[in-house]
Amino acid sequence: MEESPMWEPDAWASSGGWPAPREARTGPSLSSVLNELPSAATLRYRGPGVLPWGAVEAEEDGQRSIQSLAEATQKELQEPGPSRELPWPMQARRAHRQSLARNQVAQGSGSRAAHWTLRLRRSKEKVREGLRSMQPWEWTLKRIGGQFGAGTKSYFSLLRFLLLLNVLASVLTACMILLPTWLEGAPPGPPAPNASSPCGSYSPGSQGLVAFSTELFNLLSGEGFLEWSPLFYGFYPPRSHLAITYLCCTFAVCLLYLLLTLHRSVSGLKQTLLAESGAVTSYSHRVFSAWDFGLSGKVHVRLRQRNILFELQVELEEAAVRRQAAVRTLGQQARVWSVRVLLNVAVVALLGAALYGVYWATGATAKLQEMHHIQQTPLLKLVVEYLPSIFISGVNFVLPPVFKLIAPLEGYTRSRQIVFILLRTMFLRLVSLPVLLSSLWYQITCGGDADAEECKTCGYNYRELPCWETRLGQEMYKLLLFDLLTGLAVTLLIQFPRKLLCGLCPGALGRFAGTLEFQVPDEVLGLIYAQTVVWVGSFFCPLLPLLNTAKFLLLFYLKKITLFSTCSPASRTFRASTVNFFFPLVLLLGLASSTVPVLYSIFLIPPSKLCGPFRGQSSIWAKIPESICKLPQTAQEFLFFLGTQAFAVPLLLISSILMVYTVALANSYGCLISELKRQIETEAQNKVFLAQRTVALSSANRAL
């Protein structure tokens, strides 16, 4: 095998690489051809001192022009510029970079700083690659992406990310809540059954011998032995340091969620902006630049081929929809928008009916629990307690398929349909939680009437809800548990029997029964809903992130088995860059919606007087100013200064100035990018023109 010739920069700059003199050439001059280029029309924008194409060659002979070009190349060799910016072949630039490296090493101590900077950057890249390779289920995600497309892979990637969030939240909860609880001594037991106070009595847990069925119902409802356990808020004693760490843990976990989710959203936003701009979605990129020549092994090659196939399929489908939209007449546009308006009115009506049903189910639960025969029947009592969870799960099971049937009728692209389905289903799932909590708050605060008989003494309805924080935690616990049980039932009782029916019944019936696609929007919204439940309930049920970690771990393997054993690749795929940004954005909306009920409970509702670390306080937040007053005078003045207008107004002004500067900088970069795009288009026109002239001149020479 012949060795490839070595490129020498000096040899590249020699006269042998330049074209022949003008006298040796025939036909039109180079200046006349270049003056006809489309880009020559832009000379008037370059200023008065710019000469037209070929002016130097028109005034001087060809040999002098070649000499000037060679001198310019020698100047490029002498200047220590980046090799990637030189207009040379790849091998010449590689040789130039190696020669620069040898010169820097020969210079001695002057280049040591740059040498160590380069080594540090390469070390960071290796560490980043090592951490990426240590991520769990990396090979599983590659296999899923190659067989089922990037959209399905994004679901499992999001599931892995949420699992990491819950693990970190569980570690923080264990360090800031569980450890301080036992380090200061064993927590006291539940209140005595005959103990009374102005706010009534509170006796959690079962007394005497309890049947196994009752214990099972307590496990499912969070009552009995679980009600007074580290799982719920009411278990933790009223200790000063524990109250501070309990509240600080809530804010620390929320900040951790926010930072990690924002980081994931920003990284996905970069891919989305590139994809939507058309810079990396062209077919030429997929065909000529998407292949990884470092792949080895038939499995990896086949997976990469399938990935490229799915990407091309997405591009072709969306291009066809855009072509159809571009040729619509005015009447067709009016008809399409009329259909969209009617469909959106129907969607709003369905959402309103569903949310009203959630509110009704919560109110009906409180009334049914007061009936004597329901209290005496454990099974009926459990069903009544789960009535809001059952209704919410039923609505979330029925309406998303309806939204999925509506989305194709609106005439959007596949990626846009996914966005609308996610938005509608997200609104349904996320707003149902505030509706549930608002109905519970109506019971806790006596409908907002502080002068009511039940709320006048303690500030909350102590007769029905002596420990209202634990009651909220139990509702979130039941929602999480019921969501898990529903997912297991659908998988084991519907999907797997459907696949078995496909094997037992060959023919069209078996194919129809066994054909099952992995519905990415529904599955992703299920994850975000479950995580939002955890965010809402983690203050009232501190161990809820730990339970959700176990749930997501089980869910990952269950969905993986379901995907490879019962599902087929999607007949219609969508762009991965869209979901890589939109999924974390929906997750951020879920986080924002979950902070509202938690902050409302912390600042406005008086804490329970008979349970929890904040008993005896006017509000949960009142413990923070009380603890600040115990600090030294200097620390007090500094912390109270942070809450005054003297600090808030300058901070707002500085933030506004930085925001205006960032927007102006982004606009300038946008203008520069637009100008570069226009230059690229002009260069493409130049190449087309030169190719046409080359063909014409070749034809003329053959004719002569």
Side-chain angles (χ1 to χ4, degrees):
M1 183 180 293
E2 296 182 359
E3 297 182 357
S4 59
M6 297 298 296
W7 287 85
E8 295 294 340
D10 297 334
W12 176 251
S14 62
S15 60
W18 306 110
R22 180 186 307 252
E23 293 78 1
R25 299 196 302 266
T26 61
S29 64
L30 181 61
S31 60
S32 63
V33 175
L34 294 179
N35 283 327
E36 297 178 10
L37 289 174
S39 58
T42 63
L43 288 175
R44 61 179 179 271
Y45 300 109
R46 303 181 188 177
V50 180
L51 297 175
W53 291 106
V56 175
E57 295 153 316
E59 297 176 358
E60 302 176 0
D61 58 358
Q63 188 65 31
R64 185 173 178 182
S65 175
I66 295 173
Q67 184 178 0
S68 63
L69 292 174
E71 292 176 355
T73 305
Q74 291 293 340
K75 186 177 180 181
E76 289 178 351
L77 284 170
Q78 295 175 2
E79 293 179 355
S83 301
R84 67 171 65 94
E85 298 180 1
L86 297 176
W88 294 353
M90 183 64 69
Q91 295 180 354
R93 282 185 286 177
R94 185 180 296 113
H96 180 253
R97 184 172 62 250
Q98 293 174 357
S99 63
L100 286 179
R102 288 193 297 267
N103 294 336
Q104 289 178 358
V105 173
Q107 289 177 2
S109 60
S111 62
R112 288 180 180 177
H115 176 67
W116 284 106
T117 302
L118 179 61
R119 293 191 62 179
L120 181 61
R121 184 172 67 252
R122 290 179 177 176
S123 300
K124 289 181 179 179
E125 293 176 356
K126 290 181 179 179
V127 170
R128 191 178 296 111
E129 291 177 359
L131 293 177
R132 191 180 298 112
S133 63
M134 292 174 59
Q135 291 180 353
W137 307 310
E138 188 68 23
W139 166 245
T140 301
L141 293 183
K142 289 183 180 179
R143 185 183 173 194
I144 292 172
Q147 188 166 345
F148 296 93
T152 307
K153 176 185 175 182
S154 63
Y155 164 80
F156 286 90
S157 178
L158 180 64
L159 178 56
R160 182 178 64 179
F161 173 71
L162 293 178
L163 184 62
L164 172 64
L165 289 184
N166 285 277
V167 169
L168 295 178
S170 303
V171 172
L172 282 177
T173 302
C175 295
M176 300 183 68
I177 296 180
L178 295 180
L179 287 180
T181 301
W182 271 272
L183 288 178
E184 296 184 15
N194 55 359
S196 61
S197 67
C199 294
S201 61
Y202 176 57
S203 56
S206 304
Q207 304 295 327
L209 186 62
V210 180
F212 174 76
S213 59
T214 305
E215 293 289 353
L216 180 60
F217 293 149
N218 291 337
L219 179 64
L220 296 176
S221 62
E223 298 178 354
F225 68 96
L226 282 180
E227 187 170 355
W228 194 265
S229 67
L231 184 62
F232 293 110
Y233 166 93
F235 169 81
Y236 297 94
R239 297 169 182 170
S240 177
H241 297 293
L242 178 61
I244 297 299
T245 57
Y246 194 100
L247 198 56
C248 290
C249 177
T250 302
F251 291 118
V253 170
C254 183
L255 182 62
L256 178 67
Y257 286 145
L258 179 62
L259 293 178
L260 292 180
T261 309
L262 278 177
H263 179 268
R264 187 177 178 87
S265 300
V266 170
S267 61
L269 177 61
K270 297 177 182 178
Q271 301 176 8
T272 303
L273 291 177
L274 287 174
E276 297 297 334
S277 65
V280 296
T281 56
S282 60
Y283 304 114
S284 59
H285 170 77
R286 304 298 181 198
V287 174
F288 297 108
S289 304
W291 187 256
D292 185 4
F293 290 93
L295 294 176
S296 60
K298 295 182 179 179
V299 178
H300 297 83
V301 171
R302 191 178 301 111
L303 291 178
R304 187 56 186 167
Q305 289 175 345
R306 290 175 178 174
N307 278 326
I308 298 175
L309 175 63
F310 281 122
E311 292 173 357
L312 290 174
Q313 182 181 354
V314 171
E315 296 295 337
L316 292 173
E317 288 180 356
E318 297 197 352
V321 175
R322 285 193 291 266
R323 284 196 301 269
Q324 293 177 0
V327 298
R328 287 174 185 160
T329 62
L330 184 60
Q332 292 175 342
Q333 289 282 1
R335 185 166 57 253
V336 168
W337 280 104
S338 300
V339 171
R340 290 176 181 175
V341 170
L342 292 176
L343 291 176
N344 281 280
V345 170
V347 168
V348 172
L350 290 174
L351 290 174
L355 296 180
Y356 177 77
V358 173
Y359 185 84
W360 171 84
T362 308
T365 300
K367 296 179 181 179
L368 292 174
Q369 286 178 340
E370 298 176 357
M371 297 182 178
H372 179 72
H373 67 280
I374 291 180
Q375 294 180 354
Q376 298 298 323
T377 308
L379 183 59
L380 286 178
K381 182 180 178 182
L382 181 65
V383 172
V384 169
E385 290 178 351
Y386 267 90
L387 184 60
S389 302
I390 293 173
F391 193 88
I392 291 175
S393 299
V395 167
N396 292 334
F397 183 77
V398 172
L399 287 187
V402 177
F403 297 154
K404 197 180 305 177
L405 294 175
I406 290 175
L409 302 177
E410 295 177 302
Y412 292 113
T413 61
R414 177 63 173 169
S415 299
R416 188 67 59 86
Q417 292 177 23
I418 295 296
V419 169
F420 276 102
I421 294 173
L422 284 173
L423 284 175
R424 291 161 181 168
T425 313
M426 175 201 68
F427 184 83
L428 172 65
R429 289 178 178 267
L430 298 186
V431 177
S432 61
L433 289 179
V435 171
L436 171 64
L437 293 174
S438 63
S439 60
L440 291 174
W441 285 331
Y442 187 86
Q443 302 175 22
I444 294 170
T445 60
C446 303
D449 186 8
D451 296 330
E453 182 180 355
E454 294 85 357
C455 299
K456 189 174 183 180
T457 304
C458 301
Y460 64 95
N461 192 351
Y462 64 91
R463 294 180 181 177
E464 296 183 4
L465 302 169
C467 186
W468 61 267
E469 296 93 345
T470 296
R471 172 62 186 279
L472 290 179
Q474 289 172 345
E475 291 296 331
M476 298 300 107
Y477 171 79
K478 287 185 286 188
L479 285 175
L480 179 70
L481 193 60
F482 191 78
D483 185 65
L484 174 62
L485 296 177
T486 304
L488 291 174
V490 169
T491 302
L492 299 178
L493 301 180
I494 297 178
Q495 294 180 350
F496 281 112
R498 183 176 177 178
K499 187 65 176 179
L500 292 176
L501 182 62
C502 175
L504 295 176
C505 300
L509 178 61
R511 289 194 300 270
F512 175 77
T515 302
L516 181 64
E517 294 183 4
F518 193 82
Q519 303 297 332
V520 177
D522 297 342
E523 299 293 344
V524 168
L525 264 299
L527 289 181
I528 296 176
Y529 168 75
Q531 188 60 45
T532 305
V533 169
V534 172
W535 286 336
V536 173
S538 58
F539 180 79
F540 312 104
C541 183
L543 297 186
L544 206 59
L546 182 61
L547 297 179
N548 203 39
T549 301
K551 173 190 171 182
F552 280 167
L553 192 63
L554 175 64
L555 190 65
F556 185 92
Y557 288 102
L558 183 65
K559 292 296 181 182
K560 174 188 171 183
I561 295 173
T562 304
L563 182 68
F564 285 106
S565 60
T566 64
C567 295
S568 59
S571 58
R572 298 182 63 190
T573 58
F574 50 92
R575 185 180 289 129
S577 59
T578 302
V579 297
N580 287 336
F581 166 67
F582 194 74
F583 287 171
L585 179 61
V586 176
L587 196 62
L588 279 176
L589 294 177
L591 178 60
S593 64
S594 65
T595 56
V596 175
V598 175
L599 293 178
Y600 179 80
S601 303
I602 290 175
F603 286 97
L604 298 180
I605 303 181
S608 300
K609 309 299 180 183
L610 302 176
C611 66
F614 300 97
R615 65 185 77 173
Q617 301 290 331
S618 59
S619 68
I620 295 176
W621 179 255
K623 194 66 179 178
I624 299 297
E626 179 183 333
S627 302
I628 291 176
C629 293
K630 298 178 182 179
L631 297 175
Q633 187 66 26
T634 304
Q636 292 183 33
E637 294 176 354
F638 175 74
L639 292 177
F640 283 120
F641 171 75
L642 296 180
T644 60
Q645 295 180 355
F647 175 77
V649 173
L651 180 63
L652 180 62
L653 291 176
I654 294 174
S655 301
S656 302
I657 293 173
L658 291 177
M659 186 179 299
V660 170
Y661 171 76
T662 304
V663 172
L665 190 63
N667 290 334
S668 65
Y669 285 157
C671 294
L672 179 60
I673 291 172
S674 301
E675 182 63 27
L676 292 175
K677 287 182 178 179
R678 284 194 293 269
Q679 292 182 12
I680 292 175
E681 293 175 358
T682 305
E683 292 296 329
Q685 295 173 4
N686 289 344
K687 292 179 180 179
V688 173
F689 173 78
L690 291 175
Q692 293 174 351
R693 289 303 303 269
T694 301
V695 173
L697 292 175
S698 299
S699 301
N701 290 334
R702 284 196 300 268
L704 293 176

